[in-house]
Amino acid sequence: MASLLADAAISQKIASEPWPDDVCLYQPYKLQQVLLPDNAQCLAVQCYLQMCGLPFRTVLRTNAEHMSPSGKPPFLRAGPYVISEVEPIIKFVSTKGHSLSEKLDRPQQAEMKAYLALVQGTLGNAELYISWCDPTTASEISRPRYSSPYPWPLNAVLAYRKQWDVQNQLKTLGWHSKTLEEVYDEVDNCCKALAQRLGNHHYFFKQGPTELDALVFGHLYTILTTPLTDNCLADIVKEYGNLINFCRHIEKKFFEERERGPKD
């Protein structure tokens, strides 16, 4: 009971404070270091903050993963608060009075949560599998990029430890035993479900963008733009024209137009 009251008091305190002017989103370097799974998560958070119209600054750090409270990028620093990973960051933003899903009714919110779980559980795990369980991708891309900030032999130790950790995580989730073709089939089924739900609309719900749009964009755009040892993963997404149009729309509205600023 005391813990619940303490949590409620903390939430009330967070809600009463305005959005800070110096919010920073920490993530690994994109060109030299970040891998497919982390880049998808980072882009999803960036997109969500842009959709909420909240000011923030992206800060690149080689050790962003180790700076993060959960050991996973990205993480947000907002005043005295440090929050890591997509879902906790979205909850924090909502506590501050900025929610994109409050306009949905209860059945729609339940549907949105189901699709969020589908995306994270399928695309997120597929990205981890391809990055760390596919031998060619792991040796040619993942281990070299992950270890790039560190000197030898620390770089090799950290890269192999990361690979071991991810593989154990995927074993727990039942993904490690899958073949690459089975992973591609999972991705295709996920994209098919998303394409059917999206239809010919700009967003997944008629009320406007939600965290589902941000998360889907983060994953799909990263898959489409990240060089891998082959194009099989991106080719699956390209089979769904409305998902491609969705990515183009989100990129233009929440990134390109924001960077250009308001017209005179």
Side-chain angles (χ1 to χ4, degrees):
M1 184 67 177
S3 177
L4 291 175
L5 291 174
D7 290 344
I10 292 172
S11 297
Q12 187 176 10
K13 183 177 185 298
I14 293 174
S16 66
E17 298 168 345
W19 185 259
D21 296 327
D22 59 346
V23 172
C24 293
L25 182 68
Y26 288 81
Q27 62 184 64
Y29 279 86
K30 184 173 182 179
L31 294 179
Q32 305 96 328
Q33 182 187 12
V34 74
L35 298 179
L36 175 67
D38 291 340
N39 197 26
Q41 304 296 321
C42 293
L43 185 57
V45 172
Q46 289 182 35
C47 186
Y48 186 76
L49 294 175
Q50 295 276 38
M51 288 176 170
C52 290
L54 296 172
F56 69 97
R57 181 168 62 93
T58 301
V59 179
L60 305 179
R61 291 287 186 269
T62 56
N63 61 339
E65 178 182 36
H66 304 292
M67 293 171 64
S68 169
S70 66
K72 296 179 181 179
F75 70 93
L76 193 75
R77 181 181 61 77
Y81 307 104
V82 180
I83 314 96
S84 60
E85 300 186 61
V86 176
E87 186 176 349
I89 290 174
I90 290 175
K91 287 183 178 178
F92 173 80
V93 172
S94 177
T95 303
K96 301 291 287 183
H98 304 276
S99 174
L100 296 179
S101 56
E102 63 181 2
K103 56 201 170 188
L104 305 181
D105 59 31
R106 286 190 176 182
Q108 288 176 321
Q109 289 185 4
E111 183 184 13
M112 182 193 70
K113 289 179 180 178
Y115 276 98
L116 287 171
L118 172 68
V119 173
Q120 287 286 51
T122 303
L123 299 184
N125 287 335
E127 291 157 4
L128 288 170
Y129 181 99
I130 290 167
S131 297
W132 293 108
C133 297
D134 176 57
T136 304
T137 305
S139 63
E140 294 184 10
I141 297 177
S142 301
R143 288 199 300 268
R145 286 181 66 87
Y146 184 83
S147 64
S148 62
Y150 309 105
W152 187 90
L154 179 63
N155 58 352
V157 172
L158 292 177
Y160 278 103
R161 187 176 71 178
K162 176 68 175 181
Q163 185 172 9
W164 184 81
D165 288 342
V166 171
Q167 289 182 353
N168 278 340
Q169 175 186 343
L170 293 177
K171 285 178 183 177
T172 302
L173 297 171
W175 274 72
H176 185 265
S177 60
K178 293 180 184 292
T179 65
L180 190 57
E181 288 304 317
E182 288 174 335
V183 170
Y184 288 148
D185 286 342
E186 293 276 6
V187 172
D188 186 47
N189 289 334
C190 179
C191 288
K192 186 180 299 181
L194 291 173
Q196 290 174 349
R197 180 64 183 83
L198 179 65
N200 59 356
H201 304 290
H202 286 315
Y203 308 111
F204 285 94
F205 293 94
K206 63 182 180 180
Q207 290 91 335
T210 65
E211 48 262 48
L212 177 60
D213 299 278
L215 186 67
V216 172
F217 174 78
H219 283 284
L220 296 187
Y221 188 87
T222 300
I223 288 172
L224 290 167
T225 58
T226 300
L228 296 173
T229 55
D230 59 47
N231 297 322
C232 292
L233 191 60
D235 287 343
I236 294 172
V237 179
K238 290 177 182 177
E239 289 293 319
Y240 300 92
N242 63 338
L243 296 182
I244 299 297
N245 292 335
F246 165 82
C247 289
R248 289 172 178 162
H249 171 74
I250 298 294
E251 180 186 23
K252 181 178 180 181
K253 184 170 183 63
F254 296 104
F255 290 90
E256 293 179 358
E257 292 181 2
R258 297 288 173 89
E259 289 177 0
R260 287 197 299 265
K263 297 180 181 180
D264 294 333

